[in-house]
Amino acid sequence: MSGAALGIEIVVVFFLALFLLHRYGDFRKQQRMVLFGTLLAWYLCFLIVFILPLDVSTTIYRQCKKDNEERMAMLLRFEAHWVIGLLFCCSSPKVCYKPWSYIPDGIMPVFWRVVYWTSQCLTWLLLPFMQSYARSGGFSITGKIKTALIENAIYYGTYLLIFGSLLIYVAVHPQWQLSWYELQTIGITAANTWGLFLLVLLLGYGLVEIPRSYWNASRRGHLLLKTYFKAAKLMTEKADAEENLEDIMEEVRKVSESIKYNHPLRKYVDTILRKCPVDYQEKMGRNMDDYEDFDDKQNTYPSERSLEKLHKQVIYAVQRHNRTRVQWQILLDQALHLEDVAKNETSSTHQFVHSFAPAEPPSWFSRYVYTPTVEWYWECLLKQWFYRLLAVVLSLFSVAVVWSECTFFSTRPVLSLFAVFIQLAEKDYNYLYIEMACFITIFFLCTCVYSTVFRIRVFNYYYLASHHQTDAYSLQFSGMLFCRLTPPLCLNFLGLIHMDSAISHQQKEQTAYTSIMGSMRVLSFIANGFYIYYPMLIVILCIATYFSLGTRCLNLLGFQQFMGENDMTSDLIDEGKELIRREKRKRQRVEDGENRRREWKERYGNQRDDYVTRNRNTHSELKETNYEARGLLQDAEPLDFNAEMLSDDPLESESGRHAGGRYLSMSSSRSRIFDDV
C-alpha cells in the first residue's frame, strides 16, 4: 500500500472538486478559463485537507524510528558502563509498525511544495487577473487583457512597492542581510497571518451557526416562517432584477436601432444581442431589408468603450435575472414541501401525500424503497430527531474546538483535547484511528470555514448560488478565499494537536507540510504572540454569533434580517405567506387544466381518431370505385357527361357535399374545443 492511499485520495478529491464546481458553476455557458482556474484552486485546497492526515501518520512513524535510533546510539555510547548498559538492555525498544498509508520519504515535501506554491500563485497573481478578464465587457481577447491589466495595476503595484521597500531596507542595513530561505519564510508568514486574521472571523461564525442551523431545521414551524421571510425578500430581489433587465434591454434596443448593418460597430452590437434572452432577441431582431445608407445622417453613435460597458451590464443583468428566477422556483418548492409536512403530521394513514404531483415520473428508489409510508416516517417523525442529535454532536465539537483554541499552547500539561486524543492513539500506533481523528477534526474546521464562505453574501458583489447560478467573478473569488484560508487553517490544526514545533516548542519530528512552510522563529513576535493569542478571540466571536449581534446590527441599519419578534419580520412573513399562496393557486390552476386536457383526450380522443380513420378509408374506397367507373365509360364511347353522371360518388354529389361539410364542421368544432382546453 506504499503510496496507494495518496494516489487514491488525489483521484477522489479531484472528482469532489469537480462535483462542487458542477453544482455551482455552469459548464456549458461559462468560460473554460474561469472553470479551470476555479477547479484548480478548489482542488489544491481540498488536497491539503485530505492528504494532511496521511502526513501526520507518516510523521509519527518517522518519530518512532528516530527514537529507536537515538536509543541505540546512546546504548553504544555508554556500553562501557555496565550499569547504564544493563538499564538499556532491560528496557526493550519500541516496535515501530509501518502505517498502512505510509508514504516513502522524499515524496511529501515535493508534493506539498507544488501544491502550496501553485495555490499561492493562483490566489495572489492569476485569479485576480482572471476575475477582471471574466468581468470585462471587451469584445476581443486583447481588449479583455488590457482591461484586466488596468484594473489590477494598483493591485500588482502594491506588491512591487512592498517587496521593493523590503529589498531596499535590507540593502541599506547590512545587519539585516537575509537569505532566500528567510525571505521566503517572511512571505509565507505574511500570507498566513492575513489568512489567520480572516480565518478566526469565519470560524467563530461557523462554530455557532452550523449547529444552530441544524437545530432550527428540526423546528418545522420556525423553518416554515423563515422560508416565508426569504420568499418576501427574494421576490423583491426578483422584481428588481427584472426591472433592471428591462432597462438594460431598452438601452440595447436603442443601440441596435441606431447602429445598422453597415456600421463598423454593428458586429459588437450583434455580440451583445447574443447575450440577451431569447425573447428579447426576437423583439430586437434587426431589419435586414433596410439598405439605407446611414453614414450621411448626422446621428450620434455610441463609442466602443460605451458598448463594452453595455456588454458588461447585459452579462450581469441576465445572470442575475436567471439566478433569481431559479432560486424562486427552488424556494417555492421548499415552502410547498414544508406545508405538506405540516399537513401530513396529523395523518392517520401514515402515508405522505403531496399537494402536487411530481413533474418527473417516480424512480425505482421512490417506488420500492422511499415509499409514501417511509417518507411519512422520515419527514414527520425521524428527521427532526436526527437533526437535533446532529446539532448536539456538532455543538460538542464546537465546544472542543473553542477550548482547544484557547489552550493549545500549553504542552505541560496537555490541555488541548485533540492533542490528547492523538497522543493516546500514538502510544498504541493505531494509525487508522489517528488518520480518522485528524480527518474528522480538520474536516469539521473546514466545514465551519468553507460553509461560511458559501453562505456569506456581499450584496450582489459576491454570492455563491447553487444549481449552476454562480457567476464567474464569485467562483474565482471563492477560489481565492480557499487558497488563502486553507494553509493557515491546516497550520492551526497542527498546532491544536501539537505537531507544529514553532508553537509547541517541542523537539519532535516535523510534518512535511510544516517543513515547507519555513521556521516561524524568523519572526518570533508572530510565532510567539499573534499565532498563539489571536485565536483566543474566537470566544468573543462565538458569543457575538450566539446572541446574533451581527444580525441585530444589520437590522438596525435597514438590512432586513430574520428576527424572532420584530414588526418588520412579521410583515415580511405575512407577505411571503401570501406570495406562496398565490403561486400555489397558479400551480393548482395549471394542474387542473392539465387534468381536464387529459380527461378530454381520454374521453373523446380515441373516438375522434376512429371516426377520422373510418371516414378516410370510406372516402378512398369510393374514389377508387369512381375512378374505375370513369375508365369504363371512357373505354365504351366518348360521351359528353356532366357532373350528374357522377352522382354515385357521395362526396361529389350534392348530398355528398352536404355530408362532407357536416363532417368538416364537426371536426373543426372539436378542434376548437381541444385548443381551448
Side-chain angles (χ1 to χ4, degrees), residues 257-322:
E257 291 179 354
S258 63
I259 301 178
K260 297 299 182 178
Y261 73 97
N262 60 346
H263 197 277
L265 296 178
R266 183 64 203 187
K267 57 182 180 180
Y268 300 145
V269 177
D270 293 338
T271 303
I272 295 175
L273 288 175
R274 285 193 293 269
K275 301 296 177 61
C276 299
V278 178
D279 51 347
Y280 286 98
Q281 291 183 23
E282 295 175 354
K283 294 178 182 178
M284 294 184 294
R286 56 180 179 175
N287 187 7
M288 298 302 295
D289 296 334
D290 190 358
Y291 290 99
E292 183 181 355
D293 189 2
F294 294 93
D295 295 335
D296 296 335
K297 287 191 174 183
Q298 300 298 324
N299 292 336
T300 57
Y301 298 107
S303 62
E304 183 177 350
R305 185 62 180 269
S306 61
L307 289 179
E308 291 180 358
K309 183 179 179 181
L310 181 61
H311 187 203
K312 183 177 179 179
Q313 293 175 348
V314 167
I315 294 174
Y316 174 75
V318 172
Q319 198 281 330
R320 184 186 175 196
H321 175 262
N322 293 334

Side-chain angles (χ1 to χ4, degrees), residues 229 233 457-459 550-563 566 568-569 572:
F229 179 83
K233 289 186 62 177
R457 178 175 180 180
V458 185
F459 303 105
T551 302
R552 298 177 189 275
C553 292
L554 290 175
N555 200 34
L556 290 175
L557 293 175
F559 298 97
Q560 299 167 349
Q561 301 293 317
F562 183 77
M563 304 290 294
N566 186 277
M568 183 182 296
T569 302
L572 288 175

Side-chain angles (χ1 to χ4, degrees), residues 588-642:
Q588 190 65 48
R589 288 196 296 268
V590 172
E591 187 171 345
D592 292 343
E594 293 292 336
N595 292 334
R596 286 196 298 270
R597 287 191 183 92
R598 193 179 301 110
E599 291 177 1
W600 273 93
K601 187 174 182 180
E602 291 176 355
R603 182 179 301 177
Y604 299 107
N606 296 331
Q607 298 179 6
R608 177 188 177 189
D609 294 340
D610 295 341
Y611 183 83
V612 172
T613 304
R614 185 167 57 252
N615 189 69
R616 186 183 296 112
N617 294 334
T618 305
H619 182 66
S620 60
E621 291 177 0
L622 290 175
K623 274 191 174 182
E624 291 177 359
T625 305
N626 186 26
Y627 292 152
E628 291 177 359
R630 284 183 180 180
L632 292 174
L633 290 173
Q634 289 177 356
D635 291 340
E637 59 182 37
L639 296 176
D640 186 13
F641 57 90
N642 52 21

Side-chain angles (χ1 to χ4, degrees), residues 7 15 43 58 87 105 161 181 195 216 235 287 330 344 352 401 404 444 448 465 478 499 534 544 565 583 635-636 640:
F15 284 104
Y43 177 52
T58 304
L87 292 175
D105 296 339
L161 180 62
Y181 175 78
N216 291 333
M235 177 54 71
N287 187 7
I330 296 172
N344 283 273
F352 196 90
V401 170
S404 300
F444 177 72
C448 294
S478 66
M499 295 290 289
Y534 178 71
E565 299 177 358
E583 293 293 333
D635 291 340
D640 186 13

